[in-house]
Amino acid sequence: MAEAEVPGSESGWERAPEYQGGKRNPAFQASMWEYAASSFRLVAGLSPSLDVLAARLRLNIERGWEDLGPVDAAMFRIQKIDFALSRVEGNPCPDVFVWVSRAQSDVEAALDILLGALGIGREAITFRNNGESGFVDLRNDPQA
């Protein structure tokens, strides 16, 4: 069977992972992280670096991208709970974002399990999503 000839891209097409403003590429590419992140919800931030947290659990960090730019992330499971840790490159906020599966109803228990596995306490949490009014910065008010 002969191999099919595939023509090159059309002149003027934008790169697939970028905003399509001019002569549109028929494909719009999202990163694996963007697809995976839709099944998680952001619940907190942690002060230790992503490298240190990943090393503790011997996780691989994967590189993807999102609207804000390149992102490093590690997705994993502990006690049947799906977690992700992420850090957007160039973000002035140094926090590592903690994501928990949308299927997980008890976020507090999930955070306790994660912190226990990481060997750190709640003092490492820099912000929380309280669900009602949004995110609360805990650096200035650790009781929140």
Side-chain angles (χ1 to χ4, degrees):
M1 185 174 267
E3 190 170 324
E5 289 280 328
V6 178
S9 65
E10 300 292 324
S11 66
W13 275 1
E14 285 94 357
R15 289 177 16 89
E18 296 174 359
Y19 173 73
Q20 306 286 320
K23 185 174 180 188
R24 297 182 181 266
N25 182 335
F28 180 77
Q29 183 178 9
S31 76
M32 289 185 288
W33 167 248
E34 285 180 303
Y35 281 107
S38 67
S39 65
F40 290 98
R41 59 187 154 157
L42 179 60
V43 297
L46 293 176
S47 58
S49 74
L50 180 57
D51 289 334
V52 169
L53 296 170
R56 162 71 177 175
L57 297 176
R58 302 185 78 162
L59 300 170
N60 290 324
I61 297 173
E62 299 176 276
R63 168 91 15 149
W65 69 86
E66 58 182 38
D67 290 344
L68 300 174
V71 60
D72 291 325
M75 294 170 275
F76 55 98
R77 182 175 291 151
I78 301 173
Q79 296 183 21
K80 297 182 181 179
I81 300 171
D82 292 316
F83 293 96
L85 301 174
S86 72
R87 171 89 173 85
V88 175
E89 183 179 291
N91 187 345
C93 173
D95 305 338
V96 171
F97 292 173
V98 176
W99 305 77
V100 176
S101 169
R102 292 187 184 279
Q104 178 62 32
S105 60
D106 191 344
V107 172
E108 291 302 314
L111 272 175
D112 286 339
I113 288 167
L114 176 62
L115 294 173
L118 290 170
I120 57 178
R122 287 192 171 259
E123 68 278 358
I125 298 175
T126 56
F127 68 84
R128 288 288 315 276
N129 183 349
N130 71 4
E132 296 166 12
S133 60
F135 294 99
V136 177
D137 187 346
L138 301 178
R139 285 171 278 237
N140 297 325
D141 186 11
Q143 304 304 319

